[in-house]
Amino acid sequence: MTGLTLYTNPMSRGRIARWMLEEVCAEYDVDILGYGGSMKADAYLALNPMGKVPAIVHDGSVVTECAAICAYLADAFPAAGLTPTAEERADYYRWMFFAAGPLEQAITNRSLGVTPSEDQQRMVGYGDYDRVVAVLEQAVSAHDYIAGDRFTAADVYVGSHVMWGTQFGTLPKLDAFMAYLARLAARPAYVRASELDDAAVAEMQAA
């Protein structure tokens, strides 16, 4: 036992948490949960009543929600150097929570066929989808990484949204997005995490 356990499914947002764990070079155990089965079992619901993955348990403390997991692990493993400097802090938090809020809301609503009217745009946290995409494009164009010229934990979270969005067609393959993703996909920790999750998928399908 390592004192740190990742609860995940390799076909889920758990891939974000896996990538972050590999970035901080943490030793961790993995508990792969099934949809509708172990993910909804009492034992797991006691950790995460939402019945969703990922979650981590670190020395008895539970952290859920991918943005929180990324920020937590960066703080818990400072030697990895993924927390923001004073100069990076504003953009680090701004864009991490932009992705967790307006970006995810806009993509989800668009996928569900929900388009807010002009009046409703004042009620939702993102206005409209096109505005969110334009703002995100501007953000990833400003620097090599989301908070500046250096990779931070915010890139794990924001980058994962951009990766999935461009892969599954919920975000356009803009030049700025693809250039940003090329930098992220070259990271050794991302490659390791992807290989581990892809192997877990293959094992599940073979079972």
Side-chain angles (χ1 to χ4, degrees):
M1 299 295 290
T2 63
L4 200 168
T5 300
L6 168 65
Y7 294 88
T8 188
N9 184 293
M11 295 181 286
S12 76
R13 289 177 175 85
R15 295 180 81 105
I16 301 174
R18 169 90 80 171
W19 178 11
M20 187 64 198
L21 285 162
E22 292 297 321
E23 287 285 355
V24 300
C25 298
E27 294 186 6
Y28 60 98
D29 299 305
V30 179
D31 192 343
I32 294 180
L33 305 180
Y35 290 103
S38 51
M39 207 178 291
K40 305 300 183 184
D42 290 344
Y44 184 64
L45 292 175
L47 296 176
N48 185 3
M50 293 295 291
K52 295 185 177 182
V53 291
I56 63 169
V57 178
H58 184 212
D59 294 335
S61 295
V62 180
V63 188
T64 65
E65 314 316 316
C66 288
I69 290 171
C70 289
Y72 175 87
L73 289 172
D75 289 341
F77 295 89
L82 298 183
T83 55
T85 63
E87 293 76 19
E88 295 164 340
R89 189 171 295 122
D91 281 343
Y92 176 91
Y93 286 111
R94 177 186 182 184
W95 298 116
M96 185 179 289
F97 290 103
F98 175 85
L103 178 59
E104 180 147 2
Q105 291 171 12
I107 288 175
T108 299
N109 279 357
R110 184 179 176 89
S111 298
L112 295 174
V114 176
T115 303
S117 66
E118 186 172 346
D119 286 342
Q120 290 171 331
Q121 288 175 20
R122 295 198 299 267
M123 300 172 59
V124 297
Y126 62 88
D128 63 46
Y129 172 85
D130 291 338
R131 182 180 305 174
V132 168
V133 172
V135 170
L136 181 62
E137 180 185 19
Q138 184 178 23
V140 302
S141 300
H143 313 281
D144 280 351
Y145 298 99
I146 199 66
D149 298 325
R150 190 180 66 92
F151 181 90
T152 66
D155 290 293
V156 175
Y157 188 69
V158 176
S160 292
H161 277 278
V162 179
M163 284 179 180
W164 289 343
T166 54
Q167 179 180 355
F168 295 111
T170 58
L171 284 174
K173 292 184 177 181
L174 303 178
D175 289 346
F177 292 165
M178 303 316 292
Y180 176 53
L181 295 184
R183 291 189 285 275
L184 301 186
R187 293 189 63 80
Y190 173 77
V191 174
R192 287 197 308 273
S194 296
E195 289 174 347
L196 289 166
D197 276 325
D198 290 346
V201 170
E203 185 175 341
M204 290 170 60
Q205 292 174 341

